[in-house]
Amino acid sequence: LRNFLVHEDLVKDYEMFEISPQVIDFLKELLKLILNPIKAIDICSKRNEIICAKLTTKLFDVMNDMKINGYSHIPILNDKNVVIGIFSESTLFSYALDHKEVMFNENTTIYDLYKYILLRNHSSDKYIFVADNLEVKEIIKLFKANQQNSKKLKMILLTIDGNPSKP
C-alpha cells in the first residue's frame, strides 16, 4: 500500500483500496477501546455469579460445590461480606501436613481450617486486591509478573479502591 501511494503515477487509473463502511465501523470501535479501555470490572466474575462460603459453611458442602462446578478456589467471606480467605485443595494439603492425622466429618466447618484459608497463609498461592477500575492490560501484567515467583498468582480480587477490607 505504501509503494502504491508513493508510486501512484504508475497506476493512475487503478483503484488499489477502498474505505468501506465496515472499515469505518472497525476504526470507530477501535477508537472507543483506545479512549475507554476495558477495566477489570467489565470482565470479572461478579460476586453474585460465583460460589462463596462463610466460616460457618460445612466443609463437605464447599468441597461438593467445587466438584460439581469445577471450581478450584472458593472465596471465604466474613459477616460483612469481605473476603478473608480462600479455600482450595492446597488448604487441605497444608492442614494435613501440619496435623499428620486428618479427620473431617459432616459437622466440620470452614472455621475449623481458619488458619489455612487466610490469604497470607497459602503456601504456594498468591491472591491480591486491586481497584475495580484497573485496566485489563494492567491485570495481564500482574499475572505475568507474578508467575515468576515461588507463589503463583491464582486470583485477583476487586474492590472499589483495591482495599482488602472492603466488600
Side-chain angles (χ1 to χ4, degrees):
L1 187 57
R2 180 211 144 315
N3 285 343
F4 176 78
L5 293 172
V6 171
H7 304 289
E8 76 177 280
D9 57 321
L10 299 175
V11 282
K12 290 181 182 170
D13 296 329
Y14 184 68
E15 189 80 28
M16 182 67 167
F17 63 91
E18 176 185 337
I19 299 177
S20 68
Q22 292 87 354
V23 169
I24 292 171
D25 289 343
F26 170 78
L27 292 173
K28 283 180 181 177
E29 289 301 313
L30 185 59
L31 185 58
K32 275 188 209 174
L33 284 175
I34 291 169
L35 296 174
N36 301 304
I38 299 171
K39 308 280 189 219
I41 192 70
D42 299 328
I43 63 164
C44 72
S45 297
K46 309 296 187 267
R47 174 88 43 97
N48 63 348
E49 298 171 343
I50 61 173
I51 295 173
C52 296
K54 301 276 189 176
L55 291 172
T56 55
T57 306
K58 303 282 187 199
L59 175 63
F60 288 131
D61 290 344
V62 173
M63 292 169 62
N64 193 45
D65 283 342
M66 290 172 75
K67 179 181 175 186
I68 289 170
N69 295 293
Y71 291 146
S72 58
H73 298 77
I74 301 284
I76 307 301
L77 310 176
N78 67 12
D79 293 335
K80 296 177 182 170
N81 284 329
V82 172
V83 175
I84 57 167
I86 302 289
F87 177 81
S88 68
E89 291 176 357
S90 68
T91 305
L92 295 175
F93 184 81
S94 295
Y95 182 92
L97 280 175
D98 281 357
H99 290 83
K100 309 296 186 236
E101 184 176 321
V102 179
M103 293 292 290
F104 299 124
N105 61 45
E106 66 274 357
N107 295 318
T108 304
T109 64
I110 295 298
Y111 182 78
D112 295 315
L113 303 168
Y114 183 77
K115 172 184 169 185
Y116 304 94
I117 62 150
L118 296 176
L119 299 176
R120 67 179 179 273
N121 289 345
H122 282 260
S123 59
S124 60
D125 299 340
K126 183 176 181 180
Y127 309 94
I128 61 174
F129 287 83
V130 300
D132 61 8
N133 65 350
L134 189 66
E135 291 182 20
V136 169
K137 66 181 180 179
E138 298 303 319
I139 298 285
I140 293 167
K141 287 180 189 176
L142 285 170
F143 272 110
K144 286 181 179 178
N146 282 282
Q147 295 313 313
Q148 314 307 323
N149 304 326
S150 60
K151 284 189 169 193
K152 302 286 186 238
L153 181 58
K154 296 291 183 171
M155 188 181 296
I156 294 179
L157 302 142
L158 305 181
T159 60
I160 291 173
D161 60 1
N163 183 339
S165 62
K166 293 190 177 171

